[in-house]
Every structure is written in C-alpha cells, then in structure tokens.
Amino acid sequence: MPKKIIIAVALCGVAAVAGFGWPIVSARDTVLSTPDTVGPLRLDLSDDGRSTAENLRTVLSDGITVKTAVGAVYLDGTGKNVRFLGGTKSMWAPGSVLDSAFGLLADKAHTEATDLHTVDAGPLGGTMKCGTAAADTVCGWADHGSLALAVFTGRAESDSAQLLRRLREAAESDVR
C-alpha cells in the first residue's frame, strides 16, 4: 500500500476517534451541586429533607457507578416540591444510562415513570426525557459527563421540564 494512503487512512482514524471521543473527554470534569435556590425553589435543609437527600444519593450510587452523587429536596412553599438526584461519570451512551437511572428510580424508590419520551434538553444539550409516575412528573437528563432525575409533585410536564432545565443550568458546571 502506498505511504500516502496509509497516512490518509491513519488520519481518518484519528479524526474519527477524536470526533467521537472528544465529547466524553471534554465532559470528564463535570461537577453537580445542589444550589440553595433555583427560581421558586429553595433547598430543604430540615432533618427530613437531608435524610431524603441522602436516600436519593444512595438510590443512584447503589445502581450506577458514578464519580460523585448528589441528592436534594427542593420546596416552593405551595407543596409542589422537587426530589432531585444526580451524579457525574463519563458516558459513551448517555441515553442508555438515563434509561437505567429511570429503572433504578422504579426499583429502589418505587417511582416508576411511564410514558417516557424525549423533550428539549435546552442549551446544555444531551438527552432529556419526561414521563409520569402516579400524580407526579418525572424528568431526567444525561450527557457525556452527568445525569440527573427529578420527581416533581403536582406540576405539569411542561413546567417540570422547564424547571429541570433551570435546575440543571444552576447545578451543572465544568471545573476546567
């Protein structure tokens, strides 16, 4: 094989690996936090809120290997509370990991989401899905560096999805 063809094939291979691998490598330093406030929500710092948050972290980290896990309960003063759990990890197939996380929520937290479907993930990209669980709405996102789920009490799907995008913008950062 001529040397130019070998070099061209090698460069194509490097470009392909870089194209597919760069999103994963660039997301390796993603950090999730639980901000004190997000829009109308405020972090529940009561003993019950902290205990529920710890249980949420455990639900995720017991079922999916994550670098870090977070959990929180947010209150809005009207009873439309939000239970939030998330984690960071490098993911080749974020959509599959998100589906696994929804399965964990059903198995470990007894919150089975039905009618899951894709919704707009917003400016941070990745995959975002919403569905229903009894009278609650459940939404989650996953990208190459993080995933999270939230259970929204008494909120319509459109409001829940919008609120999760706001929560994500406040909670997800890159430390590079």
Side-chain angles (χ1 to χ4, degrees):
M1 203 183 261
K3 191 174 185 179
K4 288 182 182 180
I5 293 175
I6 293 172
I7 291 172
V9 169
L11 288 175
C12 286
V14 168
V17 169
F20 289 113
W22 179 249
I24 292 106
V25 170
S26 66
R28 75 181 178 280
D29 295 324
T30 301
V31 173
L32 282 182
S33 63
T34 52
D36 291 338
T37 60
V38 178
L41 303 176
R42 67 178 169 70
L43 188 61
D44 183 355
L45 298 174
S46 71
D47 289 342
D48 282 346
R50 290 175 193 226
S51 175
T52 300
E54 181 59 35
N55 288 339
L56 292 169
R57 278 191 296 273
T58 301
V59 163
L60 183 67
S61 59
D62 280 356
I64 297 175
T65 302
V66 293
K67 187 163 55 170
T68 60
V70 297
V73 175
Y74 286 95
L75 309 173
D76 76 350
T78 69
K80 296 180 180 178
N81 303 328
V82 177
R83 294 182 314 260
F84 174 76
L85 63 149
T88 59
K89 71 178 274 142
S90 293
M91 291 175 267
W92 283 98
S96 295
V97 178
L98 180 59
D99 290 341
S100 295
F102 276 113
L104 275 176
L105 199 59
D107 292 343
K108 305 274 185 187
H110 311 293
T111 305
E112 183 174 359
T114 58
D115 302 321
L116 282 171
H117 56 279
T118 302
V119 296
D120 177 24
L124 295 176
T127 299
M128 187 166 153
K129 293 182 178 182
C130 289
T132 56
D136 299 330
T137 299
V138 181
C139 293
W141 87 73
D143 58 30
H144 291 292
S146 68
L147 74 137
L149 299 171
V151 179
F152 299 87
T153 302
R155 291 185 192 274
E157 179 186 301
S158 59
D159 294 337
S160 299
Q162 180 181 10
L163 197 50
L164 184 60
R165 285 188 292 270
R166 286 180 74 181
L167 183 55
R168 182 180 182 194
E169 289 175 8
E172 183 178 341
S173 61
D174 185 343
V175 295
R176 279 183 281 141

